[in-house]
Amino acid sequence: MFTRRSDLPLDKDALSRFLPWLIAFMVFLAVLALAGMLVLNSTAERWDQGVSGTLTIQIIPAANPEDDNGRLQKVLAILNRTPEIDHYETLSDDKLLRLLEPWLGAQAGTHDLPLPRLIDVELKADSKLDGETLSRRLAAEVPGASVDDHRVWLSRLVRLIQTVQGLASMVLVFIAFATVGTVVFTTRTGLAIHRSAIEVLHLIGAQDSYVAGQFSSRALILGLKGGIIGLLLAGPTLFAIGHLARQIESSLLPTITLEPAHWAALGALPLVVALIAMMTARLTVLKTLSRML
Amino acid sequence: MDIDDNKPIVSFENVGLRYGLGPEVLQDVTFSLAPGSFHFLVGESGAGKSSLLKLIYLALKPSRGLISLFGRDIATTPRRELPAMRRRVGVVFQEFRLLNHLSAFDNVALPLRVAGAKKSDIQKHVVELLSWVGLKDHLDARPPTLSGGQQQRVSIARAVIARPRVLLADEPTGNIDDRMGLRLMHLFEELNKLGTTVVIATHNSRLVERMGHPKMLLDEGWLEIVGGRAPGESQAPAHKKEFSETVLADTFSDVDDDAPGAPPDFEKLI
Ligand SMILES: Nc1ncnc2c1ncn2[C@@H]1O[C@H](COP(=O)(O)OP(=O)(O)O)[C@@H](O)[C@H]1O
Ligand SMILES: [Mg+2]
C-alpha cells in the first residue's frame, strides 16, 4: 500500500514505512479518547440540564389505601400555592412501574405491591426553593410525604462525571503530546536519511523553501494516509462501543450519542496530525539547510 | 545575473581552509579563472582538490581569505542570493551524488525544476540530453539499477543540463578506463568551446599531459598554476569539431545501449 515501487528496497525508507502506521495508531487512540470525552461532556450536560431544576415528591402509601387520594390532593393543593414551582406532574402507575423495572423486573404487577405516589416537580429557572423547606412544609400537613431533591445526588453524580471527564481530557492531552512527539520524531528520523539528498538539492541551487516543500508535502501525504487509516480503524471501534452501550442501556443511562460537530472534530484529527507532520518536516529541513552555506 | 566577460569568473585571494580545529588543508590559495578557461586541478590524494572545488561551488565557507564568483564577493552576498549563483555552476560530484529515489530523468531534470523551468521544456531537454549520452532507454531507471558508467553519464547530464557558466568535475575519470576518460575530456572541451569555464580535478597525469590545458597544482594545501596558454588566448584544442552528432557519437558510441540522438540545444535552456 505504501510502496509504489516495490522493486527497489531503497525506496522503503523509515519515513514512508513507519510514519503512516505510527500516525495511524496515534490517531486511533486520539479519536477514542476524544470521542469518550465528548460523550461524557454531553452526558453531564444533559443530566445537569435535565434534572437539576426538578424535585420528586414521594407519598408513602398509607395503611388505608382509600386515604391515599385525599393525601395526594392535599399535596397538590400545597404545590399550587407555592410560587416557585413552574409545573408538576403526577406519575401514572404505568410510568412508575417502568421506572422501577430495572430494580423489580418487568413482571412486577401493580397489585402485588403498594406503590408510592410520585410527583415530578419542575422549579422555576431562578428558584431558590430547596428540597428541605418544601419537605417540612409538606410533612406538616401530609404525613408520609417527603421530597427527594435530585440536586443532592445529581450534583454528586455530575461531579463524578466531571472528574472522569477531567481524567479523559488529561489522557487526551497526553495522547496529543505523544502524537505530536511521535510525528515529530519519526519525521525527523525519516529525514535524517535524506540529509544527503537535501544537500544535493541545496548545491544544485534550490532555494530553502523549494527543498523544504519537497519534503513537507511528502510528510503531509504520509501523515494523511496514516491519519485516515487510524480514523478508519477507530470508526468501527466507536460504533462497536456505541452498540454495546445501547445494549446495556436502561432508563438509568441517558442515550450516548455524538453530535455532528463532534463527528466533525473527530474527522478533523487526521488532518491536524498530517499538518503537524508537514510543519515538522518543513522546520527540520529548514534547520538542516540553515547549517549549510 | 550579469557576468562581465573581462572579469575573472572565479577568484581566490589568500584563501585558507580548515575543517573544524584541524590543520589548514588549503593555505594562501590565490588564483583567478578567466571566463571560458579550461583547467585541470591536479595533486596527490588528500592534497585538497575536492576541498577547493567545494569552495567554488559554495558548499563550504573559507576560514580566511576572499572568494568571488561571477565578480561577487561571497562573504558579503546575502544567503538568499547564493542559490542563483549555484545554479550557474554545474558539478559532477566525485561519488555522483545522484538521488536514488528518483529516476534518471528526474535526476537530470532537477536543476531545471529548481530554476523553475517550464514542464514542456524540461521534458524536451532532459530526454534530448539523456538520449545524447546514450541513456534514452533508461529514462525511468533508478540510479542503483544503472552501471557505474551509466550513473556517471547521468551525473554529467545533470551538471550540464542548465547550461552552467562554470563546470566543475571531481575526478570524473576515477573509475573508467583511459579511452573512456579521454572521450569524456573531449565532451568537456566541447562544452568549454561554448563558453563554459571548466575545472577538472584529477590525478590521472597521462590524461592531463595529453590535453595540454593549464594545471592548477595542489601540494599540501599550496596552489600553483603551471603550463597552458596566456589568458585571453584561445583554449580550443587542435582538433576542431562542431558540437555535433559526430562528437557525441565518438564520445559514447560503443558505451552500450542506444544510439545517441541530436545534441541538446543548450542555448535555449534558461
Ligand atoms: N569533511 C572533512 N572533515 C575533516 N577533514 C576533511 C574533510 N574533508 C577533507 N578533509 C581533509 O582535508 C584534506 C584534503 O582533502 P580533499 O580535499 O578531499 O583532498 P583530495 O580531494 O585532493 O583528495 C585531507 O587531509 C582530508 O583528510
Ligand atoms: Mg577528492
Side-chain angles (χ1 to χ4, degrees):
Chain A
M1 181 169 194
F2 299 117
T3 51
R4 279 164 300 136
R5 303 168 177 111
S6 51
D7 47 345
L8 266 178
L10 281 153
D11 196 39
K12 297 175 191 161
D13 61 64
L15 191 65
S16 335
R17 252 187 312 169
F18 297 126
L19 193 59
W21 289 109
L22 275 167
I23 286 181
F25 183 62
M26 298 320 283
V27 165
F28 177 80
L29 291 180
V31 166
L32 292 190
L34 185 61
M37 204 186 75
L38 292 175
V39 164
L40 283 177
N41 211 357
S42 50
T43 304
E45 228 167 69
R46 227 168 315 141
W47 279 1
D48 217 15
Q49 280 175 358
V51 213
S52 62
T54 66
L55 301 170
T56 301
I57 293 167
Q58 183 179 212
I59 308 166
I60 306 287
N64 183 358
E66 277 90 71
D67 285 355
D68 277 358
N69 208 35
R71 293 162 70 222
L72 176 64
Q73 294 312 321
K74 266 195 207 162
V75 170
L76 295 182
I78 296 170
L79 293 181
N80 282 331
R81 273 186 273 123
T82 314
E84 291 95 334
I85 287 169
D86 190 61
H87 67 269
Y88 57 82
E89 187 196 351
T90 311
L91 260 64
S92 68
D93 281 356
D94 273 358
K95 204 165 175 192
L96 196 56
L97 279 172
R98 229 178 313 126
L99 280 176
L100 291 172
E101 216 178 77
W103 287 279
L104 303 181
Q107 303 91 339
T110 334
H111 310 292
D112 305 343
L113 184 87
L115 288 174
R117 315 287 328 192
L118 292 183
I119 306 163
D120 260 349
V121 177
E122 187 115 1
L123 299 177
K124 287 199 173 124
D126 50 355
S127 154
K128 296 266 180 324
L129 184 72
D130 69 69
E132 251 173 78
T133 320
L134 187 63
S135 188
R136 255 181 277 118
R137 217 181 285 170
L138 285 173
E141 299 196 31
V142 190
S146 65
V147 175
D148 199 351
D149 190 344
H150 297 203
R151 282 172 297 190
V152 177
W153 64 267
L154 194 84
S155 68
R156 269 184 224 136
L157 195 62
V158 167
R159 229 178 296 136
L160 175 71
I161 287 185
Q162 278 164 351
T163 310
V164 175
Q165 216 179 322
L167 285 174
S169 330
M170 255 168 64
V171 170
L172 191 67
V173 168
F174 286 149
I175 290 179
F177 274 126
T179 307
V180 173
T182 309
V183 171
V184 169
F185 183 76
T186 326
T187 310
R188 277 210 214 136
T189 316
L191 285 176
I193 63 163
H194 292 296
R195 211 200 122 88
S196 169
I198 292 172
E199 198 179 36
V200 169
L201 286 172
H202 178 69
L203 292 177
I204 279 173
Q207 296 281 1
D208 290 0
S209 55
Y210 178 92
V211 185
Q214 298 286 305
F215 290 93
S216 60
S217 59
R218 186 137 167 273
L220 178 72
I221 290 167
L222 293 177
L224 268 182
K225 260 185 195 172
I228 288 168
I229 292 171
L231 192 64
L232 289 181
L233 292 176
T237 313
L238 274 186
F239 276 114
I241 292 174
H243 186 66
L244 283 178
R246 262 188 299 282
Q247 284 199 330
I248 57 163
E249 200 175 17
S250 65
S251 21
L252 271 182
L253 287 169
T255 42
I256 294 171
T257 48
L258 284 174
E259 287 153 33
H262 295 160
W263 286 113
L266 294 178
L269 264 179
L271 195 64
V272 171
V273 166
L275 286 175
I276 293 172
M278 187 183 86
M279 283 313 295
T280 308
R282 184 177 173 77
L283 292 176
T284 308
V285 173
L286 286 180
K287 199 173 158 199
T288 308
L289 285 168
S290 72
R291 288 195 213 102
M292 299 174 189
L293 175 63
Chain B
M1 192 188 316
D2 289 331
I3 296 170
D4 185 340
D5 272 351
N6 299 312
K7 271 199 197 158
I9 210 147
V10 179
S11 103
F12 277 46
E13 267 176 56
N14 299 315
V15 169
L17 175 72
R18 61 173 83 237
Y19 289 99
L21 298 172
E24 279 205 320
V25 299
L26 294 175
Q27 301 172 46
D28 287 316
V29 170
T30 300
F31 68 90
S32 59
L33 303 178
S37 60
F38 193 126
H39 287 84
F40 283 114
L41 177 59
V42 293
E44 297 286 299
S45 177
K49 301 184 292 298
S50 298
S51 304
L52 182 68
L53 292 182
K54 280 179 189 165
L55 287 172
I56 302 177
Y57 62 74
L58 307 182
L60 289 177
K61 248 193 285 215
S63 315
R64 62 189 173 88
L66 193 88
I67 295 179
S68 22
L69 190 60
F70 309 123
R72 297 187 68 177
D73 176 5
I74 293 310
T76 59
T77 304
R79 190 175 180 278
R80 65 170 190 285
E81 288 174 25
L82 296 179
M85 297 174 84
R86 288 193 183 96
R87 275 177 232 151
R88 319 236 66 181
V89 181
V91 187
V92 181
F93 298 100
Q94 191 160 3
E95 311 293 340
F96 308 147
R97 305 198 69 173
L98 298 173
L99 302 189
N100 286 339
H101 61 286
L102 297 182
S103 65
F105 179 94
D106 286 330
N107 267 285
V108 175
L110 268 182
L112 296 179
R113 293 220 169 101
V114 155
K118 266 197 296 176
K119 215 171 179 174
S120 54
D121 285 351
I122 293 175
Q123 174 72 25
K124 181 166 168 281
H125 293 302
V126 172
V127 171
E128 240 170 38
L129 187 55
L130 276 172
S131 312
W132 177 55
V133 297
L135 291 171
K136 199 171 62 187
D137 293 339
H138 299 277
L139 295 180
D140 296 325
R142 309 279 201 98
T145 65
L146 296 172
S147 73
Q150 290 171 325
Q151 288 186 30
Q152 183 173 46
R153 280 179 274 153
V154 175
S155 84
I156 291 168
R158 183 180 68 185
V160 303
I161 185 78
R163 185 73 172 95
R165 298 300 301 249
V166 179
L167 180 69
L168 308 174
D170 198 350
E171 315 237 7
T173 57
N175 40 13
I176 52 177
D177 62 45
D178 272 8
R179 202 170 48 116
M180 186 65 203
L182 201 59
R183 290 178 171 183
L184 208 60
M185 290 307 144
H186 285 155
L187 164 66
F188 290 143
E189 281 187 329
E190 295 304 319
L191 288 163
N192 178 238
K193 273 189 242 165
L194 290 169
T196 313
T197 308
V198 178
V199 179
I200 297 169
T202 181
H203 53 229
N204 187 336
S205 45
R206 264 171 307 164
L207 206 63
V208 175
E209 298 313 326
R210 268 184 85 156
M211 306 290 294
H213 291 295
K215 286 181 284 187
M216 302 165 74
L217 221 152
L218 258 181
D219 188 16
E220 293 188 348
W222 296 91
L223 182 94
E224 185 187 357
I225 294 195
V226 290
R229 304 157 187 87
E233 210 176 308
S234 168
Q235 299 286 333
H239 59 284
K240 212 166 173 75
K241 269 188 210 159
E242 288 301 298
F243 192 54
S244 65
E245 266 179 57
T246 359
V247 175
L248 313 169
D250 275 3
T251 311
F252 296 114
S253 60
D254 59 343
V255 179
D256 48 31
D257 36 63
D258 22 12
D265 190 351
F266 280 122
E267 305 302 336
K268 277 198 195 141
L269 289 169
I270 310 296

